[in-house]
Amino acid sequence: MVRWFHPAQLMRTSLDAIVSAVFGVRADQRLVESVVRPQEPYFDYSQVEDGEGSFWMDYVADTGDGWDSTYCIARLLALPTLEVGTKGGTRYVTPRGRVLIFGGDEVYPGASRETYEERLIYPYESAMRRSHPPSPDLFVIPGNHDWYDGLASFMRLFCAHRWVAGRRTRQSRSYFALKLPQGWWLLGTDVQLNSDIDVPQVEYFRAVAALMGPKDRVILCNAEPAWISATATKRRRGYLESNLEYLQEKVLGKRISVFIAGDLHHYRRHEDSEGKQKITAGGGGAFLHPTHAPPAKELLDGYVLKKSFPDEKTSRRLAWNNLWILRYSPLFGLMTGTLYLLLALAAYAEVGHMGLSRILDVLGAVGQAMVLRPLTMVMGVATMGGLAVSADAAFGRWRLLAGALHGLGHIVGAFLCAWGASYFVVSVLGVCPELAADGLTCTGGWFHLAGRFLLNVLFTFLGGYLVGPLVVGIYMLVSVNGFMAHSNEAFGGLASPDWKNFLRLRIDPDGSLTIFPVGVERVPRKWKQTHAGPYAPAFEPDDSKATEPALIEEPLRIT
């Protein structure tokens, strides 16, 4: 799994986000697509059946992270048939979809030819390199991580009519329309980096809508669940300020029966009084997101939460793993250790001979050092200010205070680590105690003096390595469980490969749509090679602790 709290990864991710935010809108690849890449008005599957009069297709989003999670889902999608059911419920035999939809964020941490090959193509081709005719087709919409290289790698891979893992790609642009049997349509949009679509895309879907019959129904696939963010911020963009809202409200209107999106790496389903569905299904391989944050019991447009996977109680329990964040991101402590060391050096004072009984003297000595060294105050203010600014907007009016308290926690932690290190070196190891007590020259000479300094540095850094992540973990735990904030950061650092999901959809001859939400609670960590050839998965699970795929809830039937 991608280690999001790895120091180098943090810097790369920050740089990608900044570059994308600055240049993404000003270099919109979609505008070029609309001119130089002609595309069919729609792709026609209205006469395609599986032999029993039904049409099957699959949907998966947020793939291309760790091998275990990505390959686990890729293998289930590749099997010719998959038998699943709820615990103690009816079993269903579901065939592989005639079409596979990738719903966004196909690769992490950012798009490039190498990361696509390593984190997406290799696991999916290991699951199925070739397929027997009629081979399934693959359609893909990009997410924000696919846009980090300006969509260049995405277009090369998915919009050039290539074969990918036994599936044929057919689209020429980053958005598409599929005409399905029994008056159903599936539309895949490209919302780029700002949760919106461009004008040529609006015109494309307007032309598609003109071809629909009065009773036709639509499955709308977006890369992001705007309904969750709108509920969290209590603000829903109207069609006058959003092309996507215009498409949904004015162009497609009541034709939309099902909304599907990824981006949040879990399963959450909302339903309205008419039986319409809004499904978040971003469980293709990326780290788990919490289902209790951001909160969304009832959406702004009246949709009510019906099912979460994992459930909210489990989600809150998993958040406690933040207290052991070093276990999941061991190199993260290098950052906090360095920060604590810099803070300690800036406010250095001779306190190694003072124990807990003299804490007021310690505070006085450190305070005097801070007055004499203005850099200390600058670093302290920068620490608190930087973390205050980076606090999650979900805190609302308490955002700056929450971030400042987080920074204060690190300052207190650095003070305790530096004091403890100095006391251990001077009073326990006995290195130059006369210098600490009387301000005299160390009798051991410069060698002992240098050794004492290096030991102080070492133990302060080690203290920061251990204590700093704990402070971050406490902050994340309180934030996500207490204030529903920092949901991405709190669970991104844990890099959990479990609780994965995908959707299998069936259109029956009577015009009904049935959705089978398939979930895996614990993905395998061990695999064995099968030598079964290019038409079958190359590896099978070899992990007794892994769980079998099962339906997250009973199949949803939309008539």
Side-chain angles (χ1 to χ4, degrees), residues 23-37 142 146-156 159 172-175 190 192-193 198 200-201:
F23 298 106
V25 177
R26 294 166 179 81
D28 195 336
Q29 180 72 25
R30 299 172 302 182
L31 301 178
V32 179
E33 292 179 43
S34 64
V35 176
V36 302
R37 290 180 176 269
D146 301 292
W147 267 97
Y148 280 169
D149 72 340
L151 218 62
S153 300
F154 178 95
M155 300 298 292
R156 183 186 304 113
C159 299
S172 300
R173 302 180 188 175
S174 56
Y175 48 90
D190 176 6
Q192 208 228 31
L193 295 164
D198 56 304
Q201 196 173 165

Side-chain angles (χ1 to χ4, degrees), residues 115-187:
T115 52
Y116 272 115
E117 181 67 28
E118 177 183 350
R119 293 184 175 271
L120 180 70
I121 302 304
Y122 179 57
Y124 268 81
E125 290 202 340
S126 295
M128 184 178 73
R129 187 174 296 275
R130 298 177 185 173
S131 58
H132 295 288
S135 298
D137 292 335
L138 175 65
F139 290 89
V140 190
I141 59 176
N144 60 303
H145 289 270
D146 301 292
W147 267 97
Y148 280 169
D149 72 340
L151 218 62
S153 300
F154 178 95
M155 300 298 292
R156 183 186 304 113
L157 183 59
F158 300 119
C159 299
H161 295 226
R162 297 184 177 185
W163 286 83
V164 176
R167 300 170 177 89
R168 179 181 54 167
T169 62
R170 300 184 62 188
Q171 67 196 85
S172 300
R173 302 180 188 175
S174 56
Y175 48 90
F176 53 85
L178 310 183
K179 184 179 182 181
L180 306 175
Q182 311 304 328
W184 282 95
W185 295 74
L186 187 144
L187 308 184

Side-chain angles (χ1 to χ4, degrees), residues 72-73 76 309 498-500 518-523 547-549:
C72 172
I73 298 301
L76 297 179
F309 180 78
D498 297 320
W499 304 96
K500 295 295 158 275
V518 182
V520 180
E521 289 189 15
R522 190 184 192 280
V523 305
T547 58
E548 294 293 326

Side-chain angles (χ1 to χ4, degrees), residues 205-219:
F205 287 120
R206 194 202 304 273
V208 172
L211 301 173
M212 296 180 183
K215 295 184 179 181
D216 286 1
R217 288 171 290 178
V218 171
I219 303 167

Side-chain angles (χ1 to χ4, degrees), residues 18 42 77 94 114 137 159 172 230 251 283 293 296 368 387 421 425 444 451 515-516:
I18 292 171
Y42 59 85
L77 290 168
T94 63
E114 293 75 17
D137 292 335
C159 299
S172 300
V251 178
Q368 183 179 7
L387 291 176
V425 171
I515 302 175
F516 299 83

Side-chain angles (χ1 to χ4, degrees), residues 491-558:
F491 275 64
L494 303 180
S496 172
D498 297 320
W499 304 96
K500 295 295 158 275
N501 66 79
F502 68 93
L503 305 180
R504 181 150 282 177
L505 301 91
R506 182 185 70 200
I507 299 176
D508 289 320
D510 62 0
S512 62
L513 170 69
T514 304
I515 302 175
F516 299 83
V518 182
V520 180
E521 289 189 15
R522 190 184 192 280
V523 305
R525 284 7 179 223
K526 298 178 181 178
W527 305 88
K528 58 183 177 182
Q529 197 163 2
T530 62
H531 304 287
Y535 297 96
F539 304 95
E540 293 292 331
D542 190 22
D543 185 351
S544 60
K545 296 181 179 180
T547 58
E548 294 293 326
L551 289 179
I552 297 172
E553 56 180 329
E554 289 294 335
L556 311 170
R557 189 167 183 266
I558 302 169

